[in-house]
Amino acid sequence: MAGRSRPRRRSADYAWLITGPLALFAIACTAGFWIKEPDWYRDWLPAVLLLALYLITQFAEFNVVIRRNAFSVTVTEVPLVLGLYYVSPVLMIGVVVTGALCLQMRATMLPVKLWFNVAKQGASICASLLVLEAFPPIVNAGPGTWGVLAVAVAVNVLVQLGCLAGVMSVVQGGRAGPDLLRASLPNQMISGVNVAVGLLFLIALEATKWSAVLLAVLAVALTLLLRSFAGVFRQHRTLADVYELTQAVRKESSDSGLPDVLLGRVRALMRSEYATLWLVPKGRYPEVLLTAQVDNKGLLDVSPVPALIRDRAVEERHVVAVGPHFPDTEDLRSELREARAKDALVVPLRSGPAIIGTLEVVNRLGETRSFRDSDIQVLETIAAHAAAAVENSRLVDRLRHDAYHDRLTGMPNRRRIVDALAESVRVHAEHEVVAVVLFDVDGQRNVNESMGHAAGDKLLSEVAARLRGIADSGALVGRIGGDEFVVTLRAESLEATITLATQMRERLRGPMAVGSLTLDVDTAVGVAVYPDHGSDPETLLQRAELAANAAKALPYGVQPFHPALESRAVRRLGIAADLRRALDNGQLEVYFQPMVTLADRHVVGVECLARWSHPAHGEVAPEDFVAVAEHTGQLARLTEVVLRAGLRRCRDWAAADRPLAIAVNLSARTLLDSRFPDLVEEMLAEYRVDPGQLTFEISEPGMLNDIERVLPTLYRLRDLGVRLSVDDFGTGASSLAYLRQWPVHEVKIDDTFVQGMATDNGDLAIVRAVVGLSREFGLTVVAEGVESELTLDLLEEMGCELGQGYLFSRPLPFERLEAWLSAQTEPESTPTGEVRRLRAVI
């Protein structure tokens, strides 16, 4: 429903429509009284005294503000009662008009208002005198006279109120007059009291003229008392209004709602035409400029305060007051006049040392009124509470924002994502899915460790910015972990989500600038959708994370969730605590897989492989417990267990004069430990094993991800005399040229190429190229996964030196290895000692 329209304000010149008739009425009455009583001047002395008393009583007043005007309630009824009794009508009219003219001239108001007030006073006193003429002549100060004078004064007051209501209705609209009459009703009681006081003065004067001295003292005392009472009343009312205002401001908890609570109350409390709140823009908080205006229920987005005045308040960091009572800012009066304002107060809002805005009031209501020093104190008190309210609301908003957003990227965090997913699931529509696409940034941890956390943060910020740019407008993009980002959206199906995730991953890939370096960033992407993969947000996120972990092993890097991923993850979680106990109690066993020279079938070494038989789960896949060891900080312990077992057997074989070299797998993370070469050196010395009998195999993909950081460790191991081998060669993104830069002695071709070379020309070409170029570089070539005679013949024809695979033997525990050596090999003497030669490959 539309609100009541605001009445249109007319020009003040319309007041002449009321002033003219009032003036004519007063002039006509004066002429009539003059003709009736030609010797009116005989009472000139009482008239002079009455004029002085009339002017004095004007200083004891209450101010009532109605809309844009201020009105005074005075004790002029006292001299009015005395004048009606002692002074002739013509002189009485002269006293009232002269007093009114003096007071209006002192206020330097607009002519139309000045002459209206003069005409109003003249017309009202003439009405009182006409009332006296309607009654029999007054002969004494008895009770009858009291009633006549009371009626005459009441008519005087009513005529004045009628005139004021009429002119306000004409100029400011029809509602202004009734508003004035309602506001002035309590003041009529004061007029009645004043009439009673005037009658008491009259009775005293009639009793003896000397009572005038006492009455004068009483009048002065009464005037001072009324002024004092008015001041106390105003102060009490101001304190009550300030308290009410501060309570309302304190309860408001948002920047947006503060102006509505604050400005209307400030405008009413300061009795101003305008009250303005201005807040400077700060971060994500925009500039605020809102103004409350009298007679306007809404807030304006403009301010009557000139920018120069506001700028000075902000620059000088203190109140700027402009008006008749502030001579220090006389230079700013012209700015106010150009803005059609007479006075203004601008108070800065402070938050610690910073200025966060201003609170402003403009145009004290009433032509005779203007702002004073006491108003500055009140406005400063309000401004202090307003500033505190602004800062408190922004603090609450920042805390709420921080609770739901990532501090580094500004993205929604896990809590916000969970809430949004919960809402999406509740309003899920048919024929669509709610998709969770999780991006796991590859290599961010390595950037932190090699270049520092500042560089890692820069990388994450760059990924966040790029992800925002490629996500659809309806998607919610957030960061839920260290290097994990999530995009939630609605899609047609799981297949459509996978297609979209693949496209986003491709667009996200590519070089990113981190400091002075440019890094190639890749991601693993996991996909989970509602309702297929879960019914609540936490389950969807958990399963998307499982899928992203599985996607790291895929060349295309995108994996939807399926139940097998969860069962494997649950199993890994269940064995985490058991692995530590197994390492402590020696429950892990080391198996050995022989390595054979292809040219003469000599068994020259073994690869040491950890195996774990869990008492409840049975055989645990090596990739499972190695992954658990890596994520729980037990990898170094696992590596040491395998290495010690291998060195112990290597020492025993050498002591039996049938030496076998050993090979131990290393994770790239182990090579990041600068203390590892020292540990190897100590263990070689402890078991008295020749370093040349030990080979460390490092996976090519793992080495590529951290090559710059692992190179120092590789060089230190090489300097110890340990052999280094590139394991799983061909599965990474390197070229053969990298082999010239790495301090390695050996290359192990991944079994996927070896097993396929007999039937796939592509695999055959890859193996042939690796063998040929490695021999050119002087590197030993080991083929993994040799499982057929045809494969063995092809490798031998290419010149591959060593082979390893099920064609020769599976990984065996130590006792079975010894039995295999006895059954499948025969001793052969060589310059370096006895070696075992395969009798036949079966």
Side-chain angles (χ1 to χ4, degrees):
M1 182 178 67
R4 188 168 55 179
S5 61
R6 180 186 173 188
R8 184 170 62 88
R9 178 182 173 87
R10 298 189 180 95
S11 169
D13 291 337
Y14 277 83
W16 291 110
L17 296 176
I18 304 295
T19 304
L22 291 178
L24 291 176
F25 173 73
I27 292 172
C29 289
T30 303
F33 287 128
W34 189 316
I35 294 172
K36 181 180 178 181
E37 195 173 350
D39 57 345
W40 50 268
Y41 49 84
R42 68 181 185 280
D43 298 326
W44 64 270
L45 182 58
V48 172
L49 296 175
L50 183 66
L51 177 61
L53 181 61
Y54 182 84
L55 294 176
I56 290 172
T57 56
Q58 290 292 332
F59 290 99
E61 63 179 8
F62 294 99
N63 294 300
V64 180
V65 178
I66 304 297
R67 296 187 181 272
R68 296 176 180 271
N69 290 7
F71 305 95
S72 299
V73 179
T74 66
V75 293
T76 52
E77 289 83 1
V78 173
L80 184 61
V81 169
L82 298 177
L84 290 174
Y85 185 85
Y86 286 113
V87 181
S88 64
V90 175
L91 283 177
M92 188 61 192
I93 295 172
V95 166
V96 172
V97 171
T98 302
L101 187 60
C102 291
L103 293 172
Q104 302 305 313
M105 292 294 292
R106 182 176 67 92
T108 62
M109 59 179 57
L110 295 174
V112 63
K113 190 167 185 179
L114 183 151
W115 290 112
F116 166 76
N117 287 330
V118 172
K120 176 193 66 175
Q121 292 290 346
S124 61
I125 190 62
C126 288
S128 297
L129 293 171
L130 290 177
V131 169
L132 292 182
E133 289 293 323
F135 286 96
I138 296 175
V139 295
N140 56 42
T145 301
W146 301 349
V148 172
L149 292 177
V151 171
V153 173
V155 169
N156 181 282
V157 172
L158 292 176
V159 170
Q160 290 194 47
L161 284 176
C163 293
L164 286 172
V167 77
M168 291 187 68
S169 297
V170 169
V171 175
Q172 297 189 15
R175 288 181 296 158
D179 287 347
L180 170 66
L181 294 177
R182 283 192 296 271
S184 63
L185 288 178
N187 297 321
Q188 305 315 309
M189 297 179 62
I190 299 176
S191 298
V193 173
N194 291 339
V195 170
V197 172
L199 291 174
L200 289 176
F201 279 28
L202 175 62
I203 295 171
L205 290 172
E206 284 295 293
T208 172
K209 299 302 182 183
W210 288 103
S211 64
V213 176
L214 297 177
L215 292 176
V217 174
L218 181 60
V220 172
L222 182 62
T223 300
L224 295 177
L225 178 63
L226 288 175
R227 286 182 60 84
S228 176
F229 174 75
V232 172
F233 177 79
R234 283 196 303 270
Q235 185 178 19
H236 174 76
R237 183 60 185 270
T238 298
L239 290 175
D241 289 344
V242 168
Y243 176 77
E244 179 185 352
L245 188 151
T246 55
Q247 291 296 105
V249 167
R250 187 178 302 170
K251 293 178 182 177
E252 181 54 47
S253 60
S254 65
D255 272 9
S256 58
L258 182 63
D260 292 323
V261 172
L262 177 70
L263 293 178
R265 289 177 169 86
V266 170
R267 190 209 58 73
L269 176 60
M270 300 302 296
R271 298 190 293 279
S272 61
E273 183 178 357
Y274 300 96
T276 298
L277 176 67
W278 174 68
L279 299 177
V280 301
K282 181 180 179 183
R284 59 191 180 88
Y285 301 107
E287 180 181 19
V288 174
L289 180 63
L290 292 172
T291 299
Q293 182 186 15
V294 67
D295 290 342
N296 196 328
K297 294 183 178 180
L299 295 180
L300 310 175
D301 58 358
V302 295
S303 171
V305 176
L308 178 63
I309 298 177
R310 181 184 298 122
D311 292 343
R312 179 177 293 189
V314 173
E315 180 180 350
E316 297 181 358
R317 308 174 66 83
H318 63 72
V319 180
V320 172
V322 185
H325 297 286
F326 308 107
D328 294 341
T329 56
E330 187 66 30
D331 57 312
L332 297 177
R333 295 286 300 276
S334 59
E335 294 287 333
L336 272 186
R337 284 193 291 270
E338 291 180 8
R340 297 184 179 181
K342 64 174 181 175
D343 53 0
L345 300 180
V346 179
V347 181
L349 301 180
R350 296 181 175 85
S351 174
I355 301 298
I356 62 173
T358 58
L359 185 61
E360 308 160 1
V361 290
V362 178
N363 284 356
R364 182 69 176 270
L365 294 177
E367 295 289 344
T368 63
R369 310 295 297 176
S370 61
F371 294 119
R372 300 176 178 270
D373 290 335
S374 58
D375 297 311
I376 294 178
Q377 297 175 0
V378 173
L379 193 59
E380 282 186 313
T381 301
I382 299 171
H385 288 279
V390 170
E391 281 304 288
N392 288 340
S393 68
R394 289 183 175 179
L395 176 59
V396 171
D397 183 62
R398 284 195 297 270
L399 292 174
R400 186 180 295 115
H401 182 273
D402 290 345
Y404 287 96
H405 290 80
D406 173 54
R407 186 177 297 275
L408 174 64
T409 63
M411 283 182 162
N413 60 11
R414 190 182 192 96
R415 180 183 297 179
R416 177 70 182 90
I417 293 292
V418 168
D419 289 350
L421 275 175
E423 183 66 23
S424 298
V425 167
R426 279 196 296 270
V427 297
H428 170 252
E430 294 185 7
H431 310 300
E432 72 172 12
V433 297
V434 178
V436 177
V437 184
L438 188 143
F439 294 81
D440 191 319
V441 181
D442 186 25
Q444 191 268 339
R445 182 182 300 174
N446 299 332
V447 173
N448 280 344
E449 295 175 355
S450 61
M451 303 174 60
H453 286 276
D457 291 346
K458 179 71 167 58
L459 174 63
L460 291 175
S461 298
E462 182 67 22
V463 171
R466 190 173 293 187
L467 199 55
R468 284 193 192 99
I470 65 177
D472 292 340
S473 58
L476 178 64
V477 185
R479 180 186 177 208
I480 64 169
D483 55 2
E484 293 180 339
F485 294 86
V486 162
V487 178
T488 66
L489 68 159
R490 298 180 183 275
E492 296 178 359
S493 63
L494 173 61
E495 291 73 19
T497 304
I498 295 173
T499 301
L500 178 62
T502 303
Q503 295 171 352
M504 293 180 67
R505 178 177 179 269
E506 289 302 316
R507 294 177 63 187
L508 189 62
R509 295 176 66 183
M512 292 187 184
V514 179
S516 59
L517 298 180
T518 299
L519 303 177
D520 288 326
V521 176
D522 202 356
T523 56
V525 184
V527 176
V529 299
Y530 170 85
D532 299 351
H533 300 149
S535 59
D536 61 273
E538 289 292 351
T539 300
L540 290 172
L541 285 173
Q542 176 192 1
R543 292 177 173 175
E545 289 181 89
L546 290 175
N549 288 333
K552 295 177 182 179
L554 302 177
Y556 47 86
V558 177
Q559 172 68 57
F561 171 79
H562 59 79
L565 296 176
E566 189 167 44
S567 61
R568 186 171 184 179
V570 170
R571 187 182 182 193
R572 284 185 175 182
L573 182 62
I575 66 175
D578 297 335
L579 177 60
R580 187 179 302 276
R581 287 192 293 269
L583 290 171
D584 292 338
N585 300 329
Q587 296 174 358
L588 261 71
E589 191 172 359
V590 177
Y591 279 39
F592 305 92
Q593 186 174 25
M595 288 187 286
V596 179
T597 60
L598 302 186
D600 49 21
R601 306 298 197 267
H602 287 171
V603 180
V604 295
V606 293
E607 181 178 1
C608 303
L609 301 166
R611 294 293 184 264
W612 182 23
S613 180
H614 193 281
H617 300 293
E619 293 294 332
V620 181
E623 58 268 25
D624 285 345
F625 68 75
V626 170
V628 169
E630 188 167 1
H631 284 88
T632 57
Q634 302 179 74
L635 183 61
R637 182 78 183 284
L638 176 61
T639 302
E640 183 179 349
V641 168
V642 176
L643 182 56
R644 285 189 178 278
L647 289 175
R648 184 170 64 253
R649 300 306 180 188
C650 185
R651 178 195 61 191
D652 295 342
W653 288 323
D657 198 26
R658 49 188 182 93
L660 287 177
I662 62 169
V664 176
N665 289 293
L666 286 187
S667 166
R669 180 167 296 183
T670 302
L671 294 174
L672 294 175
D673 186 356
S674 60
R675 300 167 297 177
F676 181 69
D678 297 329
L679 176 64
V680 172
E681 185 176 15
E682 292 173 3
M683 293 175 67
L684 287 171
E686 178 183 349
Y687 289 97
R688 299 186 301 278
V689 173
D690 182 2
Q693 291 292 94
L694 173 61
T695 299
F696 284 125
E697 298 180 1
I698 306 102
S699 172
E700 181 205 11
M703 191 177 344
L704 281 174
N705 291 336
D706 294 281
I707 186 61
E708 296 296 331
R709 301 164 61 203
V710 304
L711 273 177
T713 304
L714 292 177
Y715 279 110
R716 290 181 61 191
L717 291 172
R718 186 197 64 176
D719 293 342
L720 289 176
V722 172
R723 292 174 56 81
L724 300 174
S725 175
V726 180
D727 197 9
D728 303 324
F729 192 83
T731 59
S734 67
S735 68
L736 294 175
Y738 281 146
L739 296 176
R740 302 181 61 186
Q741 305 172 18
W742 298 341
V744 297
H745 306 84
E746 180 181 284
V747 172
K748 293 190 75 172
I749 306 174
D750 188 69
D751 57 3
T752 57
F753 300 112
V754 174
Q755 291 170 2
M757 61 183 290
T759 57
D760 188 292
N761 289 332
D763 288 344
L764 179 62
I766 291 174
V767 174
R768 192 182 302 277
V770 172
V771 171
L773 194 56
S774 297
R775 295 185 64 184
E776 288 293 328
F777 291 157
L779 301 176
T780 301
V781 181
V782 181
E784 294 185 290
V786 180
E787 298 182 355
S788 68
E789 288 283 355
L790 179 57
T791 300
L792 179 62
D793 293 340
L794 290 172
L795 290 169
E796 186 175 358
E797 178 188 343
M798 293 176 190
C800 181
E801 298 165 278
L802 295 173
Q804 178 182 346
Y806 287 0
L807 180 64
F808 307 122
S809 173
R810 294 174 177 271
L812 301 170
F814 177 73
E815 291 77 10
R816 290 182 59 189
L817 175 66
E818 289 292 307
W820 179 86
L821 287 172
S822 299
Q824 301 297 330
T825 67
E826 57 186 15
E828 183 174 312
S829 297
T830 66
T832 58
E834 180 184 289
V835 297
R836 309 297 294 188
R837 185 179 186 276
L838 284 177
R839 290 193 174 93
V841 177
I842 58 174

